[in-house]
Amino acid sequence: MTGVNGDLTRLSLNQETIKQWSLPELAEGCVKAGVPGVGLWRAPVQEYGVEAAARLIRDAGLTVTSLCRGGFFTAIDPAERAAALADNRAAIDEAATLGTDTLILVSGGLPPGSRDLFAARERIADALAELAPYAADRGVRLAIEPLHPMYASDRCVVSTLAQALDLAERFPAEQVGVVVDTYHLWWDDTVATQITRAGAGGRLASFQLADWITPLPEGVLLGRGQLGDGSVDFRWFRERVDATGFTGPIEVEIFNPALWARDGAEVLAEVAERYRTLVL
């Protein structure tokens, strides 16, 4: 489903897309623009107060479509691993308080001195085994997000949707799903097959949009583009995700200082227009 006449019924605005807005400004701006969903990040939510944030979003009539992020499971040191698990349990509790059933996971890169990608992925599986039942008891599903391979060394050793599904499929579908993020997956010529696989297994937990623009900035984290400014065919992705039967939110998540320097309402209006013309 794409909504009726290009409407915004499935659109969700990730908080980082308009980072310059406070939580109250985010809620007010989305209500004014007719955007029904928001994706939240832990740090600003914690700063505002998790319960207060939940109340703010609920009172505005908005839906929290995801919370970002949990993860970083690949440490070898036992104390570091214990700390990561404790932090993820806190993230699960925060997601439950906010009323979202989706906690996005950035799984973690290679530990210092290690070159063993396979062992790192097994440590992710070990962490999921501990956390997935805890999350399920609280109505939260863990959503593994594959990141572009350029992040494999320091941020996420899960680089393809196939790798994410290989991990997720060790666990019940209602406990562990996957994220389809166009920024990270647009280059992969197997992604259509893997989206079908994810849908058939009931694994599609989140669908996120951002464009790929070049040249990449130094540091690469803040190089996501506004919809339509780069190389991604958003309608192609949306059609394949929809073909699986997925009818959930479509979340726009862009990290870009140029957008953060602009008026937030202007950016949101642009997002909505690009969404209508390029995604639906």
Side-chain angles (χ1 to χ4, degrees):
M1 294 179 62
T2 61
V4 180
N5 297 324
D7 68 26
L8 305 179
T9 53
R10 293 176 65 189
L11 180 59
S12 174
L13 179 71
N14 188 278
Q15 184 173 15
E16 287 291 289
T17 303
I18 308 180
K19 189 176 183 177
Q20 62 271 39
W21 270 354
S22 65
L23 264 172
E25 289 170 332
L26 176 72
E28 181 181 5
C30 285
V31 169
K32 285 183 177 179
V35 175
V38 292
L40 299 180
W41 278 68
R42 294 181 67 199
V45 166
Q46 289 169 351
E47 184 178 350
Y48 189 81
V50 179
E51 292 186 0
R55 189 163 51 250
L56 172 74
I57 300 300
R58 183 174 60 248
D59 290 350
L62 300 171
T63 299
V64 181
T65 57
S66 71
L67 179 65
C68 198
R69 58 179 167 61
F72 287 87
F73 299 130
T74 54
I76 297 172
D77 177 76
E80 291 180 19
R81 286 186 60 75
L85 290 170
D87 184 61
N88 276 272
R89 291 187 189 95
I92 291 163
D93 293 342
E94 292 162 13
T97 299
L98 292 166
T100 181
D101 60 2
T102 304
L103 176 64
I104 307 291
L105 302 181
V106 176
S107 297
L110 285 172
S114 173
R115 295 178 176 84
D116 193 338
L117 290 166
F118 302 99
R121 292 185 191 123
E122 283 305 307
R123 287 193 293 278
I124 294 167
D126 291 344
L128 291 171
E130 289 200 41
L131 293 169
Y134 183 90
D137 286 346
R138 287 150 183 80
V140 176
R141 179 156 65 159
L142 305 178
I144 304 170
E145 181 171 13
L147 268 58
H148 189 280
M150 67 180 172
Y151 298 110
S153 64
D154 66 341
R155 190 158 290 267
C156 188
V157 297
V158 181
S159 301
T160 66
L161 190 55
Q163 290 169 355
L165 286 165
D166 287 346
L167 284 166
E169 287 168 354
R170 302 189 193 191
F171 306 95
E174 65 272 14
Q175 293 184 7
V176 183
V178 296
V179 181
V180 171
D181 185 320
T182 61
Y183 177 77
H184 294 299
L185 299 177
W186 72 276
W187 58 276
D188 185 352
D189 61 1
T190 71
V191 73
T193 300
Q194 298 305 322
I195 289 172
T196 300
R197 173 186 169 190
R203 299 284 172 177
L204 271 171
S206 180
F207 180 32
Q208 296 184 329
L209 309 180
D211 216 336
W212 179 278
I213 55 175
T214 48
L216 294 173
E218 184 178 357
V220 306
L221 280 177
L222 305 183
R224 296 183 180 217
Q226 172 64 286
L227 309 185
D229 284 356
S231 306
V232 178
D233 186 340
F234 294 104
R235 186 170 289 112
W236 184 94
F237 267 93
R238 195 269 303 156
E239 288 173 348
R240 278 145 188 82
V241 168
D242 281 1
T244 70
F246 180 84
T247 58
I250 302 173
E251 187 174 309
V252 176
E253 182 188 58
I254 304 170
F255 314 146
N256 190 306
L259 295 184
W260 298 338
R262 292 170 54 190
D263 175 76
E266 177 186 283
V267 173
L268 182 50
E270 186 175 87
V271 166
E273 181 57 27
R274 302 280 182 99
Y275 174 84
R276 287 187 177 102
T277 58
L278 298 172
V279 180
L280 298 184

